Amino acid sequence: MADSPSSSEALFERARHLIPGGVNSPVRAFRSVGGTPFFTKRAEGARLHTVDGRELIDFVCTWGPAVHGHNHPAIRAAVAEALEGGTSFGTPNPYEVEMAEWITRLVPSVERVRCCNSGTEATMSCIRLARGFTGRDKIVKFAGCYHGHVDSLLVKAGSGALTLGNPDSAGVPASFAAETLVIPYNDPQALDALFYDHGEEIAGVIVESYPANCGLILPSQGYIKQLRDLCTRHGAVLIFDEVMTGFRLAPGGVQEIEGITPDLTAMGKVIGGGLPVGAFGGRADIMGKLAPEGPVYQAGTLSGNPLAMAAGIAAIQLLVEENPYARLDAMGRQLAGALRDAATKKGIPLQVPQTGSMLCLFFAEEPVMDYDAAVASDTAYFKKLFHLALEAGVYLAPSPFETLFISTAHEVADIDRACEVLAAAVGKL
Ligand code: KE4
């Protein structure tokens, strides 16, 4: 069929001339799996409807925010109601207060909170606060973790940076990178050595509470506790990046599941209900350093935007009312089990780490516990599986270094269908 002006092919051809890579965020470009990205016309529940007339079961969920699926009636109604009052005021508004009350109620470690416009802004602000609070300069991150495109954190980063093969982005001065210490995740000895050598220089340690940007990597027993204890002993600020895991894996995120209290938490995605959002918060003594109360500056024209706050409040209220976590975990287990069974039957090494509504596929002999093991996994198998699944109407994240997401809009029939499609795809590898 000749490409109609609105086909994905035609749209991508137009986009490529005007937008770098044809996309407004690199990981959408299908660079690591090949092919042309499809364009979505609308999204409903667990499905994306492409401009080419295809209907796909969506396991990307707009990279995490759509924990209730797409276009949920309650979220749509909340945005419509807020829209009656306008789109942005540049003054405080009631929605911001309600959002702050929800976040501080569900995440007890967050005594005070500020909203912003993205997860990147949230992590960037946590870093600046840690430095302003301690008067120290060094920041610690973990190889493969991704915290948004903050200069000082685009060092051995995951997600799109890793997908495109440039985990250390160009444009970040060596002087910036020098203030960021990077160590392997899940390596207790490396953690001890780092604090032995640099403990008193470290302003803060930022960690994805469950790393999910070089695939999903779960912490070894006791690792997060060791990190907490070392930060406490050396006066370093422990920052949990719960942009992806917050509210999705439990009402209070991973810190509720693990029983570990960070000093600051970065949040985003779910709390915007699909609209642009970020938030960061934590200990009152640290947050008290933030302008206009303290010397650490941070700001945003659209921070606390009434539409984003209304959508996020509706999303949070749905989670509290429905308490869907056990059902989401059951669907995650079913999908992971079907993949493991198919790989065993085919005789292909496949690891499928899963927790709650998050899971990923590593074509590897052994469980993947860190960045090096993740990048050593067989990405060619993943690429083939991705396209076999897409052809059959199941959309996985277009990168082996991302994570699959399940929403409350996924029905039993969707998971059954996905299990069938993915098992068949594994059988064809
Ligand atoms: P944003 O600036 O994209 O809102 O959030 C950055 C961020 C921070 N922390 C974690 C743990 C994250 O996963 C992210 C962003 N996640 C990626 C997907 N892995 C967003 C997708 C994209 O970059 O297009």
Side-chain angles (χ1 to χ4, degrees):
M1 177 182 78
D3 287 338
S4 70
S6 62
S7 72
S8 291
E9 294 287 342
L11 285 164
F12 193 58
E13 191 50 34
R14 286 163 53 194
R16 283 183 330 121
H17 296 300
L18 301 171
I19 308 168
V23 291
N24 281 311
S25 197
V27 74
R28 303 176 192 169
F30 278 26
R31 286 290 175 97
S32 75
V33 292
T36 300
F38 60 83
F39 282 59
T40 298
K41 179 166 63 178
R42 68 183 180 88
E44 198 77 38
R47 282 172 169 65
L48 297 178
H49 298 267
T50 77
V51 298
D52 311 303
R54 295 202 67 203
E55 184 178 316
L56 305 171
I57 303 175
D58 178 22
F59 287 96
V60 181
C61 294
T62 182
W63 304 98
V67 70
H68 299 295
H70 298 286
N71 209 13
H72 190 289
I75 294 174
R76 197 168 65 241
V79 173
E81 183 182 344
L83 187 57
E84 289 298 313
T87 55
S88 176
F89 313 137
T91 71
N93 70 71
Y95 292 106
E96 292 171 297
V97 183
E98 190 176 349
M99 174 60 84
E101 288 169 343
W102 273 112
I103 291 174
T104 52
R105 186 183 310 147
L106 294 177
V107 192
S109 71
V110 178
E111 296 172 334
R112 305 183 78 193
V113 64
R114 172 164 290 171
C115 285
C116 50
N117 301 284
S118 69
T120 295
E121 283 186 46
T123 58
M124 175 175 68
S125 306
C126 286
I127 297 296
R128 190 176 310 132
L129 261 176
R131 287 172 162 153
F133 178 72
T134 62
R136 301 174 183 177
D137 293 337
K138 293 279 187 252
I139 289 293
V140 177
K141 77 174 287 290
F142 297 84
C145 282
Y146 176 74
H147 305 286
H149 60 96
V150 187
D151 274 353
S152 58
L153 298 178
L154 279 176
V155 183
K156 218 132 180 172
S159 186
L162 178 55
T163 296
L164 300 178
N166 55 353
D168 304 307
S169 173
V172 176
S175 59
F176 280 33
E179 298 300 339
T180 304
L181 306 175
V182 183
I183 58 169
Y185 187 73
N186 271 336
D187 183 337
Q189 290 72 32
L191 204 48
D192 279 336
L194 171 90
F195 275 90
Y196 180 82
D197 295 337
H198 300 283
E200 308 322 307
E201 302 169 71
I202 298 171
V205 179
I206 186 167
V207 64
E208 287 187 59
S209 39
Y210 286 162
N213 282 292
C214 53
L216 177 62
I217 294 180
L218 297 175
S220 306
Q221 185 64 34
Y223 185 70
I224 303 180
K225 172 91 171 56
Q226 180 195 3
L227 177 58
R228 173 66 278 176
D229 293 346
L230 283 165
C231 285
T232 303
R233 196 176 316 147
H234 293 273
V237 174
L238 177 57
I239 303 164
F240 267 19
D241 179 348
E242 296 231 41
V243 168
M244 200 186 276
T245 56
F247 310 93
R248 167 172 278 279
L249 294 180
V254 166
Q255 53 196 275
E256 176 186 315
I257 296 167
E258 296 286 343
I260 300 278
T261 302
D263 302 308
L264 292 176
T265 301
M267 297 159 276
K269 295 184 190 271
V270 165
I271 58 168
L275 294 188
V277 77
F280 60 100
R283 278 171 36 193
D285 59 336
I286 300 176
M287 293 299 286
K289 293 290 184 184
L290 204 59
E293 286 181 14
V296 179
Y297 196 69
Q298 185 277 340
T301 302
L302 296 172
S303 295
N305 174 271
L307 304 189
M309 294 293 99
I313 289 164
I316 290 171
Q317 287 173 327
L318 281 167
L319 286 168
V320 171
E321 287 155 16
E322 295 177 358
N323 188 17
Y325 300 100
R327 183 165 81 85
L328 289 168
D329 185 58
M331 290 193 281
R333 288 175 187 277
Q334 183 187 345
L335 203 47
L339 281 159
R340 295 184 193 114
D341 293 348
T344 302
K345 188 175 170 190
K346 178 71 178 178
I348 286 182
L350 175 65
Q351 307 294 328
V352 187
Q354 173 268 334
T355 180
S357 57
M358 296 170 66
L359 64 150
C360 92
L361 295 87
F362 288 118
F363 287 97
E365 294 285 352
E366 301 297 327
V368 173
M369 302 306 287
D370 60 25
Y371 170 90
D372 288 343
V375 296
S377 65
D378 188 323
T379 54
Y381 268 145
F382 178 87
K383 179 175 174 179
K384 192 173 175 190
L385 178 88
F386 171 83
H387 283 290
L388 287 168
L390 187 58
E391 284 157 23
V394 171
Y395 176 49
L396 308 180
S399 162
F401 304 121
E402 294 289 353
T403 296
L404 276 62
F405 297 102
I406 298 169
S407 80
T408 60
H410 284 81
E411 314 256 349
V412 169
D414 297 317
I415 301 300
D416 290 347
R417 173 67 180 147
C419 290
E420 181 192 329
V421 163
L422 293 174
V426 169
K428 292 174 185 168
L429 293 180

